[in-house]
């Protein structure tokens, strides 16, 4: 507030009491319109700041709603718990699943990593590796599965996926080992997929006799086993016959 000693209109001395309204007012009717103007400008700036802040909040809120859809209300709470380290293991799994549904891959991967750091549970790494494989990041998936295996992960399905990735990467010897472990981890389940992968690897290496023996053992392992891997059995049988015929001609 600007203090005026005398009224510029009538020259009347202006006391402290004449300034109590926040700006100078004289008995002659004059008042300090400059102070009023400054006060008005200040009020307008404050209003504009508030409106701008509200607009930004509205845009951010709309963007959040579009980004997270039906999860928009729940996710902020979960993210705060994640940042503060108070999110439960179930909460991390739920967060990862929600992120996957919305194709927010970095969010999902971070959730699995944080879950592993919080619990040291190998299954978190298996889920992370599976997601990495799904996204086509095979080197990262293999590295994550290797860490999963190193710390004692023994889930048969996870080991099966690991073994297949190793086969695709040309690491056949390690793939054999991991696939055998996947079969041993689930003795109650007919190992159709793992056996099929092993047989196909043996066939690629020209080891048809071993592949045949493997399929024969598989067929004897359960009453319903003969209903599976028939294509592989036919291919192996044909390859063995061709090899025998070739040997007969040369002899």
């Amino acid at each position: 507030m600007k203090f005026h000693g005398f009224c510029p209109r009538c020259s009347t001395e202006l006391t402290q009491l004449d300034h109590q309204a926040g700006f100078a007012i004289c008995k002659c009717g004059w008042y300090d319109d400059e102070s009023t103007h400054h006060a008005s400008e200040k009020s307008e700036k404050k209003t504009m700041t508030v409106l701008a802040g509200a607009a930004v909040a509205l845009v951010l809120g709309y963007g959040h709603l579009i980004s997270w859809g039906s999860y928009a209300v729940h996710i902020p709470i979960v993210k705060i718990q994640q940042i503060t380290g108070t999110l439960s293991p179930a909460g991390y799994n739920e967060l990862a699943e929600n992120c996957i549904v919305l194709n927010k891959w970095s969010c999902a991967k971070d959730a699995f990593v944080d879950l592993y750091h919080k619990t040291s549970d190998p299954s978190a790494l298996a889920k992370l590796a599976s997601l990495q494989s799904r996204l086509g990041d095979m080197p990262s998936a293999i590295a994550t599965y290797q860490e999963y295996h190193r710390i004692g992960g023994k889930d048969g399905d996870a080991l099966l996926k690991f073994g297949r990735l190793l086969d695709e990467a040309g690491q056949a010897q390690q793939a054999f080992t991991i696939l055998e472990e996947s079969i041993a981890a689930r003795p109650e389940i007919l190992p159709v997929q793992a056996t099929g992968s092993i047989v196909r690897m043996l066939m690629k290496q020209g080891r048809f006799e071993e592949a045949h023996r493997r399929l024969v053992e598989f067929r004897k392992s359960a009453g319903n086993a003969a209903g599976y891997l028939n294509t592989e059995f036919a291919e192996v049988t044909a390859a063995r016959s061709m090899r025998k015929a070739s040997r007969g001609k040369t002899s």
Side-chain angles (χ1 to χ4, degrees), residues 26-51:
C26 182
K27 296 179 178 61
C28 72
W30 174 88
Y31 65 92
D32 183 10
D33 57 352
E34 183 180 353
S35 297
T36 306
H37 178 69
H38 288 321
S40 177
E41 281 187 340
K42 185 176 181 180
S43 177
E44 287 179 2
K45 288 180 179 179
K46 184 176 181 181
T47 301
M48 291 298 294
T49 301
V50 171
L51 290 176

PDB file of all heavy atoms in Angstrom, residues 26-51:
ATOM      1  N   CYS A  26      -9.771  10.268   1.136  1.00  0.00           N
ATOM      2  CA  CYS A  26      -9.902  11.618   1.727  1.00  0.00           C
ATOM      3  C   CYS A  26     -11.385  11.959   1.932  1.00  0.00           C
ATOM      4  O   CYS A  26     -12.258  11.436   1.221  1.00  0.00           O
ATOM      5  CB  CYS A  26      -9.250  12.647   0.800  1.00  0.00           C
ATOM      6  SG  CYS A  26      -9.312  14.335   1.470  1.00  0.00           S
ATOM      7  N   LYS A  27     -11.620  12.870   2.894  1.00  0.00           N
ATOM      8  CA  LYS A  27     -13.002  13.292   3.179  1.00  0.00           C
ATOM      9  C   LYS A  27     -13.634  14.000   1.991  1.00  0.00           C
ATOM     10  O   LYS A  27     -14.858  14.064   1.861  1.00  0.00           O
ATOM     11  CB  LYS A  27     -13.018  14.216   4.394  1.00  0.00           C
ATOM     12  CG  LYS A  27     -12.563  13.533   5.693  1.00  0.00           C
ATOM     13  CD  LYS A  27     -12.579  14.520   6.851  1.00  0.00           C
ATOM     14  CE  LYS A  27     -12.169  13.866   8.154  1.00  0.00           C
ATOM     15  NZ  LYS A  27     -10.816  13.320   8.101  1.00  0.00           N
ATOM     16  N   CYS A  28     -12.794  14.528   1.072  1.00  0.00           N
ATOM     17  CA  CYS A  28     -13.330  15.234  -0.099  1.00  0.00           C
ATOM     18  C   CYS A  28     -13.828  14.281  -1.173  1.00  0.00           C
ATOM     19  O   CYS A  28     -14.383  14.687  -2.190  1.00  0.00           O
ATOM     20  CB  CYS A  28     -12.275  16.178  -0.668  1.00  0.00           C
ATOM     21  SG  CYS A  28     -10.903  15.315  -1.507  1.00  0.00           S
ATOM     22  N   GLY A  29     -13.588  13.021  -0.975  1.00  0.00           N
ATOM     23  CA  GLY A  29     -14.048  12.035  -1.948  1.00  0.00           C
ATOM     24  C   GLY A  29     -12.944  11.424  -2.794  1.00  0.00           C
ATOM     25  O   GLY A  29     -13.161  10.441  -3.511  1.00  0.00           O
ATOM     26  N   TRP A  30     -11.747  11.985  -2.690  1.00  0.00           N
ATOM     27  CA  TRP A  30     -10.638  11.420  -3.467  1.00  0.00           C
ATOM     28  C   TRP A  30     -10.167  10.109  -2.842  1.00  0.00           C
ATOM     29  O   TRP A  30     -10.190   9.933  -1.621  1.00  0.00           O
ATOM     30  CB  TRP A  30      -9.481  12.431  -3.486  1.00  0.00           C
ATOM     31  CG  TRP A  30      -8.240  11.853  -4.143  1.00  0.00           C
ATOM     32  CD1 TRP A  30      -7.920  11.860  -5.444  1.00  0.00           C
ATOM     33  CD2 TRP A  30      -7.171  11.169  -3.469  1.00  0.00           C
ATOM     34  NE1 TRP A  30      -6.736  11.244  -5.679  1.00  0.00           N
ATOM     35  CE2 TRP A  30      -6.235  10.791  -4.455  1.00  0.00           C
ATOM     36  CE3 TRP A  30      -6.918  10.850  -2.109  1.00  0.00           C
ATOM     37  CZ2 TRP A  30      -5.068  10.103  -4.161  1.00  0.00           C
ATOM     38  CZ3 TRP A  30      -5.752  10.162  -1.828  1.00  0.00           C
ATOM     39  CH2 TRP A  30      -4.844   9.783  -2.844  1.00  0.00           C
ATOM     40  N   TYR A  31      -9.767   9.200  -3.663  1.00  0.00           N
ATOM     41  CA  TYR A  31      -9.168   7.953  -3.145  1.00  0.00           C
ATOM     42  C   TYR A  31      -8.051   7.526  -4.092  1.00  0.00           C
ATOM     43  O   TYR A  31      -8.000   7.960  -5.250  1.00  0.00           O
ATOM     44  CB  TYR A  31     -10.197   6.837  -3.000  1.00  0.00           C
ATOM     45  CG  TYR A  31     -10.785   6.361  -4.309  1.00  0.00           C
ATOM     46  CD1 TYR A  31     -10.215   5.287  -4.992  1.00  0.00           C
ATOM     47  CD2 TYR A  31     -11.906   6.986  -4.863  1.00  0.00           C
ATOM     48  CE1 TYR A  31     -10.735   4.849  -6.194  1.00  0.00           C
ATOM     49  CE2 TYR A  31     -12.425   6.555  -6.056  1.00  0.00           C
ATOM     50  CZ  TYR A  31     -11.846   5.489  -6.723  1.00  0.00           C
ATOM     51  OH  TYR A  31     -12.351   5.053  -7.916  1.00  0.00           O
ATOM     52  N   ASP A  32      -7.171   6.709  -3.577  1.00  0.00           N
ATOM     53  CA  ASP A  32      -5.969   6.315  -4.328  1.00  0.00           C
ATOM     54  C   ASP A  32      -6.332   5.213  -5.326  1.00  0.00           C
ATOM     55  O   ASP A  32      -6.250   4.027  -5.015  1.00  0.00           O
ATOM     56  CB  ASP A  32      -4.893   5.824  -3.345  1.00  0.00           C
ATOM     57  CG  ASP A  32      -3.590   5.466  -4.070  1.00  0.00           C
ATOM     58  OD1 ASP A  32      -3.485   5.776  -5.278  1.00  0.00           O
ATOM     59  OD2 ASP A  32      -2.713   4.858  -3.438  1.00  0.00           O
ATOM     60  N   ASP A  33      -6.736   5.595  -6.550  1.00  0.00           N
ATOM     61  CA  ASP A  33      -7.131   4.603  -7.537  1.00  0.00           C
ATOM     62  C   ASP A  33      -5.937   3.789  -8.052  1.00  0.00           C
ATOM     63  O   ASP A  33      -6.080   2.708  -8.595  1.00  0.00           O
ATOM     64  CB  ASP A  33      -7.859   5.270  -8.698  1.00  0.00           C
ATOM     65  CG  ASP A  33      -7.015   6.353  -9.353  1.00  0.00           C
ATOM     66  OD1 ASP A  33      -5.953   6.673  -8.811  1.00  0.00           O
ATOM     67  OD2 ASP A  33      -7.446   6.849 -10.410  1.00  0.00           O
ATOM     68  N   GLU A  34      -4.700   4.282  -7.877  1.00  0.00           N
ATOM     69  CA  GLU A  34      -3.518   3.523  -8.278  1.00  0.00           C
ATOM     70  C   GLU A  34      -3.372   2.280  -7.411  1.00  0.00           C
ATOM     71  O   GLU A  34      -3.092   1.191  -7.900  1.00  0.00           O
ATOM     72  CB  GLU A  34      -2.273   4.399  -8.164  1.00  0.00           C
ATOM     73  CG  GLU A  34      -0.996   3.681  -8.649  1.00  0.00           C
ATOM     74  CD  GLU A  34       0.236   4.554  -8.545  1.00  0.00           C
ATOM     75  OE1 GLU A  34       0.093   5.759  -8.221  1.00  0.00           O
ATOM     76  OE2 GLU A  34       1.337   4.020  -8.779  1.00  0.00           O
ATOM     77  N   SER A  35      -3.578   2.474  -6.116  1.00  0.00           N
ATOM     78  CA  SER A  35      -3.517   1.324  -5.199  1.00  0.00           C
ATOM     79  C   SER A  35      -4.615   0.336  -5.532  1.00  0.00           C
ATOM     80  O   SER A  35      -4.427  -0.886  -5.496  1.00  0.00           O
ATOM     81  CB  SER A  35      -3.648   1.793  -3.748  1.00  0.00           C
ATOM     82  OG  SER A  35      -2.577   2.627  -3.387  1.00  0.00           O
ATOM     83  N   THR A  36      -5.797   0.894  -5.869  1.00  0.00           N
ATOM     84  CA  THR A  36      -6.913   0.028  -6.230  1.00  0.00           C
ATOM     85  C   THR A  36      -6.587  -0.766  -7.488  1.00  0.00           C
ATOM     86  O   THR A  36      -6.887  -1.955  -7.595  1.00  0.00           O
ATOM     87  CB  THR A  36      -8.188   0.869  -6.473  1.00  0.00           C
ATOM     88  OG1 THR A  36      -8.440   1.674  -5.342  1.00  0.00           O
ATOM     89  CG2 THR A  36      -9.383  -0.030  -6.747  1.00  0.00           C
ATOM     90  N   HIS A  37      -5.945  -0.085  -8.428  1.00  0.00           N
ATOM     91  CA  HIS A  37      -5.571  -0.743  -9.676  1.00  0.00           C
ATOM     92  C   HIS A  37      -4.573  -1.880  -9.437  1.00  0.00           C
ATOM     93  O   HIS A  37      -4.703  -2.978  -9.981  1.00  0.00           O
ATOM     94  CB  HIS A  37      -4.968   0.294 -10.629  1.00  0.00           C
ATOM     95  CG  HIS A  37      -4.499  -0.293 -11.931  1.00  0.00           C
ATOM     96  ND1 HIS A  37      -5.366  -0.790 -12.875  1.00  0.00           N
ATOM     97  CD2 HIS A  37      -3.237  -0.455 -12.433  1.00  0.00           C
ATOM     98  CE1 HIS A  37      -4.676  -1.247 -13.896  1.00  0.00           C
ATOM     99  NE2 HIS A  37      -3.379  -1.050 -13.652  1.00  0.00           N
ATOM    100  N   HIS A  38      -3.564  -1.588  -8.570  1.00  0.00           N
ATOM    101  CA  HIS A  38      -2.574  -2.621  -8.235  1.00  0.00           C
ATOM    102  C   HIS A  38      -3.233  -3.802  -7.529  1.00  0.00           C
ATOM    103  O   HIS A  38      -2.900  -4.962  -7.800  1.00  0.00           O
ATOM    104  CB  HIS A  38      -1.476  -2.035  -7.343  1.00  0.00           C
ATOM    105  CG  HIS A  38      -0.548  -1.107  -8.087  1.00  0.00           C
ATOM    106  ND1 HIS A  38      -0.122  -1.346  -9.371  1.00  0.00           N
ATOM    107  CD2 HIS A  38       0.035   0.073  -7.706  1.00  0.00           C
ATOM    108  CE1 HIS A  38       0.685  -0.375  -9.782  1.00  0.00           C
ATOM    109  NE2 HIS A  38       0.788   0.516  -8.781  1.00  0.00           N
ATOM    110  N   ALA A  39      -4.170  -3.475  -6.634  1.00  0.00           N
ATOM    111  CA  ALA A  39      -4.859  -4.542  -5.903  1.00  0.00           C
ATOM    112  C   ALA A  39      -5.682  -5.391  -6.864  1.00  0.00           C
ATOM    113  O   ALA A  39      -5.754  -6.617  -6.756  1.00  0.00           O
ATOM    114  CB  ALA A  39      -5.752  -3.946  -4.822  1.00  0.00           C
ATOM    115  N   SER A  40      -6.307  -4.695  -7.844  1.00  0.00           N
ATOM    116  CA  SER A  40      -7.108  -5.407  -8.831  1.00  0.00           C
ATOM    117  C   SER A  40      -6.235  -6.307  -9.695  1.00  0.00           C
ATOM    118  O   SER A  40      -6.592  -7.448  -9.997  1.00  0.00           O
ATOM    119  CB  SER A  40      -7.854  -4.396  -9.706  1.00  0.00           C
ATOM    120  OG  SER A  40      -8.594  -5.058 -10.713  1.00  0.00           O
ATOM    121  N   GLU A  41      -5.062  -5.768 -10.104  1.00  0.00           N
ATOM    122  CA  GLU A  41      -4.132  -6.566 -10.908  1.00  0.00           C
ATOM    123  C   GLU A  41      -3.659  -7.800 -10.150  1.00  0.00           C
ATOM    124  O   GLU A  41      -3.567  -8.904 -10.708  1.00  0.00           O
ATOM    125  CB  GLU A  41      -2.920  -5.720 -11.318  1.00  0.00           C
ATOM    126  CG  GLU A  41      -3.180  -4.783 -12.474  1.00  0.00           C
ATOM    127  CD  GLU A  41      -1.886  -4.120 -12.927  1.00  0.00           C
ATOM    128  OE1 GLU A  41      -0.913  -4.097 -12.130  1.00  0.00           O
ATOM    129  OE2 GLU A  41      -1.845  -3.635 -14.065  1.00  0.00           O
ATOM    130  N   LYS A  42      -3.363  -7.590  -8.869  1.00  0.00           N
ATOM    131  CA  LYS A  42      -2.893  -8.705  -8.031  1.00  0.00           C
ATOM    132  C   LYS A  42      -3.974  -9.770  -7.921  1.00  0.00           C
ATOM    133  O   LYS A  42      -3.700 -10.970  -7.996  1.00  0.00           O
ATOM    134  CB  LYS A  42      -2.511  -8.170  -6.655  1.00  0.00           C
ATOM    135  CG  LYS A  42      -1.910  -9.218  -5.748  1.00  0.00           C
ATOM    136  CD  LYS A  42      -1.460  -8.606  -4.436  1.00  0.00           C
ATOM    137  CE  LYS A  42      -0.825  -9.653  -3.527  1.00  0.00           C
ATOM    138  NZ  LYS A  42      -0.390  -9.058  -2.234  1.00  0.00           N
ATOM    139  N   SER A  43      -5.212  -9.304  -7.745  1.00  0.00           N
ATOM    140  CA  SER A  43      -6.327 -10.238  -7.631  1.00  0.00           C
ATOM    141  C   SER A  43      -6.525 -11.006  -8.935  1.00  0.00           C
ATOM    142  O   SER A  43      -6.772 -12.225  -8.930  1.00  0.00           O
ATOM    143  CB  SER A  43      -7.602  -9.477  -7.273  1.00  0.00           C
ATOM    144  OG  SER A  43      -8.708 -10.356  -7.230  1.00  0.00           O
ATOM    145  N   GLU A  44      -6.397 -10.297 -10.073  1.00  0.00           N
ATOM    146  CA  GLU A  44      -6.561 -10.932 -11.370  1.00  0.00           C
ATOM    147  C   GLU A  44      -5.471 -11.974 -11.610  1.00  0.00           C
ATOM    148  O   GLU A  44      -5.736 -13.068 -12.131  1.00  0.00           O
ATOM    149  CB  GLU A  44      -6.528  -9.882 -12.482  1.00  0.00           C
ATOM    150  CG  GLU A  44      -7.783  -9.018 -12.542  1.00  0.00           C
ATOM    151  CD  GLU A  44      -7.698  -7.978 -13.642  1.00  0.00           C
ATOM    152  OE1 GLU A  44      -6.669  -7.977 -14.370  1.00  0.00           O
ATOM    153  OE2 GLU A  44      -8.630  -7.170 -13.770  1.00  0.00           O
ATOM    154  N   LYS A  45      -4.215 -11.638 -11.247  1.00  0.00           N
ATOM    155  CA  LYS A  45      -3.108 -12.578 -11.419  1.00  0.00           C
ATOM    156  C   LYS A  45      -3.325 -13.838 -10.582  1.00  0.00           C
ATOM    157  O   LYS A  45      -3.074 -14.957 -11.031  1.00  0.00           O
ATOM    158  CB  LYS A  45      -1.788 -11.920 -11.041  1.00  0.00           C
ATOM    159  CG  LYS A  45      -1.313 -10.869 -12.049  1.00  0.00           C
ATOM    160  CD  LYS A  45       0.014 -10.264 -11.612  1.00  0.00           C
ATOM    161  CE  LYS A  45       0.503  -9.224 -12.619  1.00  0.00           C
ATOM    162  NZ  LYS A  45       1.779  -8.591 -12.202  1.00  0.00           N
ATOM    163  N   LYS A  46      -3.823 -13.622  -9.367  1.00  0.00           N
ATOM    164  CA  LYS A  46      -4.071 -14.759  -8.483  1.00  0.00           C
ATOM    165  C   LYS A  46      -5.161 -15.643  -9.063  1.00  0.00           C
ATOM    166  O   LYS A  46      -5.058 -16.878  -9.054  1.00  0.00           O
ATOM    167  CB  LYS A  46      -4.476 -14.255  -7.101  1.00  0.00           C
ATOM    168  CG  LYS A  46      -4.669 -15.378  -6.083  1.00  0.00           C
ATOM    169  CD  LYS A  46      -4.962 -14.817  -4.707  1.00  0.00           C
ATOM    170  CE  LYS A  46      -5.123 -15.943  -3.681  1.00  0.00           C
ATOM    171  NZ  LYS A  46      -5.424 -15.410  -2.327  1.00  0.00           N
ATOM    172  N   THR A  47      -6.212 -14.994  -9.597  1.00  0.00           N
ATOM    173  CA  THR A  47      -7.306 -15.746 -10.204  1.00  0.00           C
ATOM    174  C   THR A  47      -6.822 -16.531 -11.412  1.00  0.00           C
ATOM    175  O   THR A  47      -7.175 -17.704 -11.599  1.00  0.00           O
ATOM    176  CB  THR A  47      -8.442 -14.803 -10.620  1.00  0.00           C
ATOM    177  OG1 THR A  47      -8.920 -14.088  -9.481  1.00  0.00           O
ATOM    178  CG2 THR A  47      -9.594 -15.577 -11.248  1.00  0.00           C
ATOM    179  N   MET A  48      -5.990 -15.881 -12.256  1.00  0.00           N
ATOM    180  CA  MET A  48      -5.471 -16.553 -13.436  1.00  0.00           C
ATOM    181  C   MET A  48      -4.591 -17.737 -13.071  1.00  0.00           C
ATOM    182  O   MET A  48      -4.617 -18.788 -13.723  1.00  0.00           O
ATOM    183  CB  MET A  48      -4.677 -15.556 -14.288  1.00  0.00           C
ATOM    184  CG  MET A  48      -5.535 -14.479 -14.953  1.00  0.00           C
ATOM    185  SD  MET A  48      -6.749 -15.184 -16.108  1.00  0.00           S
ATOM    186  CE  MET A  48      -5.659 -15.846 -17.367  1.00  0.00           C
ATOM    187  N   THR A  49      -3.784 -17.559 -12.000  1.00  0.00           N
ATOM    188  CA  THR A  49      -2.925 -18.653 -11.539  1.00  0.00           C
ATOM    189  C   THR A  49      -3.751 -19.844 -11.099  1.00  0.00           C
ATOM    190  O   THR A  49      -3.450 -20.997 -11.425  1.00  0.00           O
ATOM    191  CB  THR A  49      -2.026 -18.179 -10.384  1.00  0.00           C
ATOM    192  OG1 THR A  49      -1.217 -17.094 -10.825  1.00  0.00           O
ATOM    193  CG2 THR A  49      -1.139 -19.312  -9.889  1.00  0.00           C
ATOM    194  N   VAL A  50      -4.824 -19.544 -10.348  1.00  0.00           N
ATOM    195  CA  VAL A  50      -5.709 -20.609  -9.870  1.00  0.00           C
ATOM    196  C   VAL A  50      -6.380 -21.316 -11.044  1.00  0.00           C
ATOM    197  O   VAL A  50      -6.450 -22.555 -11.093  1.00  0.00           O
ATOM    198  CB  VAL A  50      -6.771 -20.041  -8.905  1.00  0.00           C
ATOM    199  CG1 VAL A  50      -7.813 -21.113  -8.580  1.00  0.00           C
ATOM    200  CG2 VAL A  50      -6.117 -19.540  -7.629  1.00  0.00           C
ATOM    201  N   LEU A  51      -6.858 -20.528 -12.015  1.00  0.00           N
ATOM    202  CA  LEU A  51      -7.521 -21.113 -13.175  1.00  0.00           C
ATOM    203  C   LEU A  51      -6.555 -21.945 -14.013  1.00  0.00           C
ATOM    204  O   LEU A  51      -6.910 -23.022 -14.509  1.00  0.00           O
ATOM    205  CB  LEU A  51      -8.136 -19.999 -14.036  1.00  0.00           C
ATOM    206  CG  LEU A  51      -9.349 -19.268 -13.445  1.00  0.00           C
ATOM    207  CD1 LEU A  51      -9.781 -18.134 -14.365  1.00  0.00           C
ATOM    208  CD2 LEU A  51     -10.506 -20.242 -13.231  1.00  0.00           C
TER     209      LEU A  51
END
